[in-house]
Amino acid sequence: MSDTVIQVENLWKEYRLGVINHHTLSRDLQSWWAGVRGKEDPNSTVDGAHAKRNAAERFWALQDICFEVKQGDVLGIIGRNGAGKSTLLKVLSQVTAPTRGEVRFKGRIASLLEVGTGFHPELTGRENIFLNGAILGMSKADIRRKIDQIIAFAEVEKFVDTPVKRYSSGMYVRLAFAVAAHLEPDILVVDEVLAVGDAQFQKKCLAKMEDVGKQGRTILFVSHNMAAIQSLCPRACLLEAGKLVQMGASGEVVSGYLGGLFSASGLRDLSGRRDRVGGSSLRLLSFDVVDDVGASMADVPCGKRARLELRFRVLSGNPRNLRFGISLVEKGSGRYFTELNSYYGSAQVFSCAPGFHTFTFTVNRMPLAPGQYHLNFIVTSGLEVLDQIKDACQLTVSDGLFYDSDQMPLPGSYPVFFTEFQCGLSEGILGGQEITS
Amino acid sequence: MDKVTERGWDKVIRPRNGWFDIHPAEIWRYRDLIGLFVWRDFVSIYKQTILGPLWYVIQPLLTTLVFTVIFGKVAHLPTDGLPPFLFYLSGVIAWKYFADCLNSTSNTFVGNAHLFGKVYFPRLTVPVSVAISNLIAFGIQLFLFLAFFVYYWQNSSVIHPQPVLLLLPVLILQMAALGLGFGIIVSSMTTRYRDLTQLVGFGVQLWMYVTPVVYPASSVPDKWRWILALNPMAHVVEAFRYAFLGTGFISLQSWLISLATTAAVLFFGIVLFSRVERTFMDTV
């Protein structure tokens, strides 16, 4: 039988923005004394609209949050910056009290909003394991039992009796995460702490989290890493401006979130971008990813056919020798790693007359691994750059099957990366969206 | 008040309400953490120092020497007929424990904001552990005092230890409680008023001069006695001196009053601290 182990009921949290009070005792006393004598507060603002300003400064970081988590659930919490994720975690981990509402727990709860909380630089690795463990709620006996595992997990065997101030930042973070990973509470609240260490260690952390989830522990996990959310958490909830707007299977919630992020249609407006390079004869207006029937997609499943449409306007002249390029930058590493260019393959060049046009790359099988990519767009005529926008928008590739089965594919039966695409130019803006620059 | 276990829930988080939201059992559960904090404070202070824990001894010794020269030799303040060095040393170490407790706990919230903002543990563990690590320093200094005490006791006839000496643990507890109590009151208020930090620094120094540390209470004119009566630390220092050295201006009644004051200060401090700890992260 699955029990409810966390119950959040009508949770509200209010913050007051700006200066909370005068912050010096003497000024507070001054204000108070003025009040006693019935005079005007010398520290009030000139406009005197004190009460009104106070009301405007109130800000509800959490509004009427209600949810329940059952024993063994791994719940992802997603949302934009400022949506209230961190505030929710702070309330759940008792760092700050809610303004209204109640949260109830069953079992021991531990929270991990940061790794290495309370590490003391002068103490050795071993000493810090004890200190940090105790801060996170472990008893000395617990730590003593697990210390060898912790040291092995952190891969710092050789340096465990060296003060941590001499550690490299990677070692420091590994040690810190290792302590946290061995907490073994009934409920674990984790903020985005996995974005630490190198790729190999991140993998290890994710695997450890999965392990913890499988042991029947309950986990609340906040992350911006949608892939991690989808692989770790069967369920997720989406916060938006302090409200819980969606809760359910993590796949749905994640696509709901990403859909909202790029507006419902997935169309990215570029007409307002000022950070462009190039002349004034041609302007990129928008970018869209559409499926076979022309419906806009918020994300492209790996292995699916997709059309990437670049809409632009030729303002003057009849540009010739046009080449269109989309280069991709991996979001995590920031590394430029591939590009689609109309010049590749068949060495096509295009020319067009003034007016609105759409350039389309049709990718038969999206060859990118699930994740997020930044896109740069460039249009050149010969050697001249007509328009270029760096970091123009994001492309989200979601989970999907690139190969049709789990079998090892025959050589040559699948396209090699981006070698298989068609491109074409058409008059007018497809999809009927007229954007004037 | 405590409905934590209602309907089978282990823990219920509620908005801050009421003044008496105190959970002593929780602090006991985190005793390992207190121990580790004490040990951290103690170890980290003398890592990478030459003299290490010797500093605990050097500081009061030098202070006492300076007092002996300035107040004894230059200003000729009376010492109730006691050897000046022993008189000042007794005052200095009794006062120092209280002052250290107050000074270092008064920074609890602001100084640990980064820690408190990231993880929950009962916040009182920090000032309590500070009081305990200062107790270790006090213990070392007490040994220093005892060495001089035994030396003077053997070599002069003016020292008469009193049976009250058996109550020394109570006296030490009172010093700790007073320092802790005032310290957490100040630390609770510094979350709103930062300038209190400045005040504490020299306030404690000034306080020493209205406490019979560098002069005996018997030398205070009658018309100023009421100031001493209001100062709970005056009784503690006098009682400490009386217990060891046999001179002092203390009555059972006045000590009981100061004990009551101490309890009140500590209680008020804990209540205020527990109230502030719930939401101080939003204002600090």
PDB file of all heavy atoms in Angstrom, chain A residues 75-89:
ATOM      1  N   LEU A  75       9.541  12.765  -7.398  1.00  0.00           N
ATOM      2  CA  LEU A  75       8.798  13.864  -8.023  1.00  0.00           C
ATOM      3  C   LEU A  75       9.761  14.949  -8.480  1.00  0.00           C
ATOM      4  O   LEU A  75      10.561  15.448  -7.702  1.00  0.00           O
ATOM      5  CB  LEU A  75       7.803  14.437  -7.012  1.00  0.00           C
ATOM      6  CG  LEU A  75       6.955  15.611  -7.502  1.00  0.00           C
ATOM      7  CD1 LEU A  75       5.899  15.145  -8.465  1.00  0.00           C
ATOM      8  CD2 LEU A  75       6.315  16.331  -6.329  1.00  0.00           C
ATOM      9  N   GLY A  76       9.680  15.286  -9.745  1.00  0.00           N
ATOM     10  CA  GLY A  76      10.496  16.379 -10.263  1.00  0.00           C
ATOM     11  C   GLY A  76       9.734  17.682 -10.131  1.00  0.00           C
ATOM     12  O   GLY A  76       8.516  17.708 -10.268  1.00  0.00           O
ATOM     13  N   ILE A  77      10.451  18.746  -9.832  1.00  0.00           N
ATOM     14  CA  ILE A  77       9.809  20.060  -9.757  1.00  0.00           C
ATOM     15  C   ILE A  77      10.493  20.945 -10.785  1.00  0.00           C
ATOM     16  O   ILE A  77      11.709  21.131 -10.726  1.00  0.00           O
ATOM     17  CB  ILE A  77       9.936  20.671  -8.355  1.00  0.00           C
ATOM     18  CG1 ILE A  77       9.266  19.757  -7.335  1.00  0.00           C
ATOM     19  CG2 ILE A  77       9.324  22.062  -8.316  1.00  0.00           C
ATOM     20  CD1 ILE A  77       9.511  20.150  -5.910  1.00  0.00           C
ATOM     21  N   ILE A  78       9.721  21.435 -11.737  1.00  0.00           N
ATOM     22  CA  ILE A  78      10.322  22.266 -12.770  1.00  0.00           C
ATOM     23  C   ILE A  78       9.604  23.598 -12.859  1.00  0.00           C
ATOM     24  O   ILE A  78       8.512  23.772 -12.305  1.00  0.00           O
ATOM     25  CB  ILE A  78      10.336  21.567 -14.152  1.00  0.00           C
ATOM     26  CG1 ILE A  78       8.929  21.144 -14.556  1.00  0.00           C
ATOM     27  CG2 ILE A  78      11.264  20.386 -14.147  1.00  0.00           C
ATOM     28  CD1 ILE A  78       8.874  20.461 -15.902  1.00  0.00           C
ATOM     29  N   GLY A  79      10.210  24.500 -13.547  1.00  0.00           N
ATOM     30  CA  GLY A  79       9.638  25.830 -13.687  1.00  0.00           C
ATOM     31  C   GLY A  79      10.743  26.792 -14.053  1.00  0.00           C
ATOM     32  O   GLY A  79      11.913  26.494 -13.892  1.00  0.00           O
ATOM     33  N   ARG A  80      10.315  27.913 -14.554  1.00  0.00           N
ATOM     34  CA  ARG A  80      11.283  28.930 -14.947  1.00  0.00           C
ATOM     35  C   ARG A  80      11.995  29.510 -13.728  1.00  0.00           C
ATOM     36  O   ARG A  80      11.538  29.326 -12.609  1.00  0.00           O
ATOM     37  CB  ARG A  80      10.526  30.074 -15.597  1.00  0.00           C
ATOM     38  CG  ARG A  80      10.582  30.053 -17.084  1.00  0.00           C
ATOM     39  CD  ARG A  80       9.863  31.256 -17.563  1.00  0.00           C
ATOM     40  NE  ARG A  80       8.604  30.825 -18.130  1.00  0.00           N
ATOM     41  CZ  ARG A  80       8.094  31.423 -19.210  1.00  0.00           C
ATOM     42  NH1 ARG A  80       8.707  32.431 -19.755  1.00  0.00           N
ATOM     43  NH2 ARG A  80       6.968  31.000 -19.709  1.00  0.00           N
ATOM     44  N   ASN A  81      13.061  30.257 -13.955  1.00  0.00           N
ATOM     45  CA  ASN A  81      13.674  31.004 -12.850  1.00  0.00           C
ATOM     46  C   ASN A  81      12.626  31.931 -12.255  1.00  0.00           C
ATOM     47  O   ASN A  81      11.915  32.599 -12.986  1.00  0.00           O
ATOM     48  CB  ASN A  81      14.840  31.851 -13.363  1.00  0.00           C
ATOM     49  CG  ASN A  81      16.033  30.983 -13.697  1.00  0.00           C
ATOM     50  OD1 ASN A  81      16.184  29.901 -13.136  1.00  0.00           O
ATOM     51  ND2 ASN A  81      16.847  31.440 -14.603  1.00  0.00           N
ATOM     52  N   GLY A  82      12.548  31.944 -10.929  1.00  0.00           N
ATOM     53  CA  GLY A  82      11.596  32.839 -10.288  1.00  0.00           C
ATOM     54  C   GLY A  82      10.196  32.273 -10.190  1.00  0.00           C
ATOM     55  O   GLY A  82       9.273  32.963  -9.767  1.00  0.00           O
ATOM     56  N   ALA A  83      10.028  31.013 -10.573  1.00  0.00           N
ATOM     57  CA  ALA A  83       8.686  30.438 -10.500  1.00  0.00           C
ATOM     58  C   ALA A  83       8.331  30.012  -9.084  1.00  0.00           C
ATOM     59  O   ALA A  83       7.173  29.738  -8.789  1.00  0.00           O
ATOM     60  CB  ALA A  83       8.578  29.246 -11.443  1.00  0.00           C
ATOM     61  N   GLY A  84       9.329  29.964  -8.204  1.00  0.00           N
ATOM     62  CA  GLY A  84       9.057  29.598  -6.815  1.00  0.00           C
ATOM     63  C   GLY A  84       9.606  28.240  -6.419  1.00  0.00           C
ATOM     64  O   GLY A  84       9.327  27.769  -5.328  1.00  0.00           O
ATOM     65  N   LYS A  85      10.382  27.636  -7.300  1.00  0.00           N
ATOM     66  CA  LYS A  85      10.927  26.306  -6.981  1.00  0.00           C
ATOM     67  C   LYS A  85      11.792  26.352  -5.735  1.00  0.00           C
ATOM     68  O   LYS A  85      11.629  25.548  -4.829  1.00  0.00           O
ATOM     69  CB  LYS A  85      11.798  25.780  -8.135  1.00  0.00           C
ATOM     70  CG  LYS A  85      11.107  25.646  -9.443  1.00  0.00           C
ATOM     71  CD  LYS A  85      12.050  25.049 -10.467  1.00  0.00           C
ATOM     72  CE  LYS A  85      13.294  25.840 -10.703  1.00  0.00           C
ATOM     73  NZ  LYS A  85      13.238  27.000 -11.559  1.00  0.00           N
ATOM     74  N   SER A  86      12.716  27.307  -5.728  1.00  0.00           N
ATOM     75  CA  SER A  86      13.643  27.360  -4.597  1.00  0.00           C
ATOM     76  C   SER A  86      12.919  27.721  -3.308  1.00  0.00           C
ATOM     77  O   SER A  86      13.240  27.193  -2.250  1.00  0.00           O
ATOM     78  CB  SER A  86      14.743  28.372  -4.875  1.00  0.00           C
ATOM     79  OG  SER A  86      15.434  27.994  -6.018  1.00  0.00           O
ATOM     80  N   THR A  87      11.947  28.607  -3.412  1.00  0.00           N
ATOM     81  CA  THR A  87      11.181  28.960  -2.216  1.00  0.00           C
ATOM     82  C   THR A  87      10.459  27.730  -1.681  1.00  0.00           C
ATOM     83  O   THR A  87      10.459  27.474  -0.480  1.00  0.00           O
ATOM     84  CB  THR A  87      10.163  30.060  -2.543  1.00  0.00           C
ATOM     85  OG1 THR A  87      10.837  31.115  -3.196  1.00  0.00           O
ATOM     86  CG2 THR A  87       9.507  30.571  -1.292  1.00  0.00           C
ATOM     87  N   LEU A  88       9.878  26.962  -2.588  1.00  0.00           N
ATOM     88  CA  LEU A  88       9.180  25.747  -2.157  1.00  0.00           C
ATOM     89  C   LEU A  88      10.152  24.805  -1.448  1.00  0.00           C
ATOM     90  O   LEU A  88       9.844  24.278  -0.375  1.00  0.00           O
ATOM     91  CB  LEU A  88       8.552  25.058  -3.379  1.00  0.00           C
ATOM     92  CG  LEU A  88       7.795  23.768  -3.100  1.00  0.00           C
ATOM     93  CD1 LEU A  88       6.648  24.008  -2.130  1.00  0.00           C
ATOM     94  CD2 LEU A  88       7.275  23.136  -4.378  1.00  0.00           C
ATOM     95  N   LEU A  89      11.321  24.641  -2.017  1.00  0.00           N
ATOM     96  CA  LEU A  89      12.307  23.764  -1.383  1.00  0.00           C
ATOM     97  C   LEU A  89      12.733  24.301  -0.029  1.00  0.00           C
ATOM     98  O   LEU A  89      12.920  23.553   0.917  1.00  0.00           O
ATOM     99  CB  LEU A  89      13.545  23.607  -2.265  1.00  0.00           C
ATOM    100  CG  LEU A  89      13.410  22.712  -3.484  1.00  0.00           C
ATOM    101  CD1 LEU A  89      14.766  22.259  -3.956  1.00  0.00           C
ATOM    102  CD2 LEU A  89      12.565  21.492  -3.186  1.00  0.00           C
TER     103      LEU A  89
END
